[in-house]
């Protein structure tokens, strides 16, 4: 088995949160000094989402802060575009700052916000970095030829829910966009794909743990898969794994707020070559599993499908 589920999953539920929430799911996680910081999404009891923070010494046992970490802004342009809530945070560390991308929902659609922090106490919004109909933006934690790069997932009728890449000199203005990967017909990811955890650097490429969705008569099923991007040119996909690496199997992944969902927004590579992969179960709870990073890369390279 590639991913070993932690025996005490779920690691976080709404009962661990000291303020009223209906769910705890889809969290970004990073190392912060000798701690692990998790920024998770919660539905409030009005169905709109906020972001909470939890801290851990070992990456498995987390304590949630007394107050939410980020709630929809009450100021300026962010207020206008976060009215319906903020969702699905991803975190990277770049030159002394933690950058957080999140989905911002409003009557104008869903777009991506970028915020930054150095201490996970004070958080500053930087910019809204996409127009409407974008989700799942992950920024690479390194620049390429002086530019930031990100993977994103716009939606269009002609090419639904595919993965694109874009570049930016300053994190604010993005361009040079290209489609690099599509869902595959009659395949576990045929309906939608989207970047999951921010890409993890490995000796053989950037590893993107992505999600894929398959429509069934009983609703859609969210699973996780693997993509490997070239180290120097991340627009080049070296391999897309034909098989999923994780699917809903535990009771708290199969049933909950939305049933049959495993959804990843964060993974933490460790110095010993292992990696902690975090996922939301059934849009209700947070889970973690461990894998060996090089085994994931081998599995991806040995079981390829075409990217588009
Ligand atoms: C996606 C996003 C995720 C969610 C998933 C399953 O479209 O909204 O946040 O986990 O659906 O409901």
């Amino acid at each position: 088995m590639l991913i070993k589920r932690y025996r005490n999953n779920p690691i976080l539920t709404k009962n661990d949160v000291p303020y009223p929430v209906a769910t705890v799911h889809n969290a970004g996680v990073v190392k912060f000094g000798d701690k692990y910081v998790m920024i998770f999404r919660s539905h409030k009891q009005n169905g709109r989402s906020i972001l909470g923070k939890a801290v851990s010494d070992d990456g498995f046992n987390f304590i949630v802060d007394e107050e939410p970490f980020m709630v929809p802004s009450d100021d300026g342009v962010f207020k206008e575009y976060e009215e319906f809530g903020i969702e699905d945070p991803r975190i990277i560390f770049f030159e002394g700052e933690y950058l957080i991308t999140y989905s911002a929902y409003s009557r104008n659609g869903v777009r991506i916000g970028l915020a930054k922090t150095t201490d996970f106490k004070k958080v500053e919004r930087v910019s809204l970095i996409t127009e409407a109909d974008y989700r799942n933006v992950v920024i690479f934690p390194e620049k390429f030829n002086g530019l930031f790069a990100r993977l994103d997932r716009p939606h269009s009728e002609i090419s639904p829910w595919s993965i694109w890449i874009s570049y930016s000199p300053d994190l604010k203005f993005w361009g040079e966009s290209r489609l690099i990967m599509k869902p595959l017909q009659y395949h576990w990811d045929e309906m939608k794909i989207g970047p999951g955890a921010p890409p993890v650097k490995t000796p053989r490429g950037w590893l993107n743990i992505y999600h894929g969705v398959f429509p069934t008569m009983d609703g859609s099923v969210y699973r996780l898969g693997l993509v490997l991007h070239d180290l120097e040119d991340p627009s080049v996909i070296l391999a897309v794994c034909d098989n999923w690496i994780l699917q809903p199997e535990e009771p708290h992944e199969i049933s909950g707020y939305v049933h049959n969902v495993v959804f990843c927004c964060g993974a933490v590579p460790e110095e010993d070559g292992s990696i902690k992969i975090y996922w939301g179960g059934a849009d209700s709870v947070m889970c973690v599993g461990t894998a060996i990073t090089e085994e994931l890369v081998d599995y991806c390279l040995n079981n390829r499908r075409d990217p588009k």
Side-chain angles (χ1 to χ4, degrees), residues 25-26 41 87-88 105 135 192 222 258 261 263 283:
H25 64 300
N26 298 3
R41 168 180 171 194
E87 306 187 356
D88 297 0
Y105 276 79
R135 270 205 310 241
K192 297 184 187 192
Y222 277 73
V258 180
V261 177
F263 193 93
D283 283 8

Side-chain angles (χ1 to χ4, degrees), residues 153-162 182-183 191-193:
R153 212 288 307 278
H155 177 57
S156 71
E157 292 291 323
I158 296 176
S159 177
W161 292 299
S162 302
K182 276 177 176 283
M191 184 180 165
K192 297 184 187 192
I193 54 173

Side-chain angles (χ1 to χ4, degrees), residues 146-176:
L147 297 176
F148 290 98
R150 77 178 196 212
L151 302 175
D152 57 36
R153 212 288 307 278
H155 177 57
S156 71
E157 292 291 323
I158 296 176
S159 177
W161 292 299
S162 302
I163 294 179
W164 291 57
I165 193 163
S166 298
Y167 298 90
S168 172
D170 57 5
L171 291 171
K172 205 169 171 183
F173 297 99
W174 293 84
E176 304 277 350

Side-chain angles (χ1 to χ4, degrees), residues 53-75:
K53 182 184 126 196
V55 181
S56 169
D57 288 331
D58 61 4
F60 298 105
N61 297 285
F62 283 86
I63 306 284
V64 180
D65 280 10
E66 287 298 315
E67 301 291 333
F69 179 67
M70 267 178 91
V71 298
S73 174
D74 57 10
D75 195 33

